[in-house]
Amino acid sequence: MKIGIIGAGNIGGNLTRRLTALGHEVSVANSRGPQTLTALAEETGAKPVTASEAAKGAQVVVVTVPLKAVPDLPAGFLDGAAEGVTVIDTGNYYPQRDGRIAAIEDGLPESRWTEQQIGHPVIKAFNGTYAQDILDRGRPQGTADRQALPVAGDDPAAKQAVRDLIDELGFDTVDGGGLDDSWRQQPGTPVYGNRGDADAITKGLAEASPERTAEFRA
């Protein structure tokens, strides 16, 4: 599968490592330019590109940048993607880093805000996952206590594509509902940073409160 990754921080870098190891064709971009991705490219075989080029021909695009950087993504960066491209949003709103985003403070789910900024539906996944776990905690399907990740989004086919990819990475998934329900996996909720199995994640999603905790408010 052809996959574009925009953002080469902890999550983006480790997804690049794992997805290339699984045989996917990965293009990776960051805000500083492809010349700064030489080491990652040499390590993984991924192709370093600009953010404008990352989605070219891609069936899946991962947007894994700070929320404050989402509005600065190149206009039309998805125009060259494969028809029906699935976009994964891994982002979280951290007001100490991102500044105050009024719509999110007023209750708009973070990934709905990101979707509005980029003008394309997104699937929320990996936002509460420790980056190192992507490298270290994948297990074969059927393994007892296999770690599970919540996945939220409105497009059933896109959501299934993401769940299949996560399964390939070695994790179970739990359907987190539509994107309007994705607040259930935002920072401060029971599943954020939760390394539990599918039962634990299902329970955590059900127990989530829509009220943002003080730690994650501006």
Side-chain angles (χ1 to χ4, degrees), residues 7-147:
N10 294 333
I11 293 288
N14 285 351
L15 282 174
T16 299
R17 291 178 177 94
R18 287 289 289 118
L19 292 169
T20 51
L22 289 166
H24 295 287
E25 181 183 347
V26 177
S27 294
V28 60
N30 66 5
S31 60
R32 293 175 295 140
Q35 71 280 359
T36 65
L37 295 169
T38 303
L40 182 62
E42 289 177 349
E43 175 192 347
T44 64
K47 181 181 180 182
V49 296
T50 66
S52 296
E53 300 167 323
K56 186 177 180 180
Q59 296 151 282
V60 172
V61 174
V62 183
V63 176
T64 180
V65 301
L67 249 67
K68 66 180 180 181
V70 169
D72 298 326
L73 290 170
F77 74 96
L78 293 170
D79 289 352
E83 186 176 354
V85 61
T86 295
V87 179
I88 300 174
D89 169 37
T90 78
N92 292 307
Y93 171 54
Y94 300 128
Q96 300 87 343
R97 176 197 67 188
D98 300 315
R100 187 179 194 278
I101 299 176
I104 295 175
E105 292 282 342
D106 290 343
L108 186 70
E110 296 167 13
S111 287
R112 185 66 80 190
W113 181 86
T114 294
E115 178 181 86
Q116 291 174 358
Q117 303 307 305
I118 69 172
H120 191 283
V122 302
I123 304 296
K124 188 177 189 72
F126 298 109
N127 73 290
T129 309
Y130 293 106
Q132 193 62 32
D133 289 353
I134 293 170
L135 297 183
D136 296 343
R137 291 178 65 90
R139 300 289 185 270
Q141 197 175 66
T143 302
D145 298 325
R146 193 188 197 208
Q147 185 173 332

Side-chain angles (χ1 to χ4, degrees), residues 140-215:
Q141 197 175 66
T143 302
D145 298 325
R146 193 188 197 208
Q147 185 173 332
L149 310 184
V151 179
D154 297 332
D155 182 332
K159 187 189 290 187
Q160 190 59 53
V162 175
R163 297 182 73 174
D164 290 345
L165 196 63
I166 292 172
D167 179 53
E168 195 178 348
L169 288 164
F171 301 90
D172 284 340
T173 57
V174 172
D175 190 336
L179 210 62
D180 286 336
D181 300 314
S182 64
W183 57 265
R184 294 181 180 276
Q185 63 195 72
Q186 291 179 172
T189 62
V191 300
Y192 179 74
N194 190 327
R195 288 172 161 147
D197 62 10
D199 288 342
I201 298 304
T202 300
K203 182 173 184 287
L205 288 169
E207 293 175 346
S209 166
E211 295 298 319
R212 298 190 70 89
T213 60
E215 181 183 0

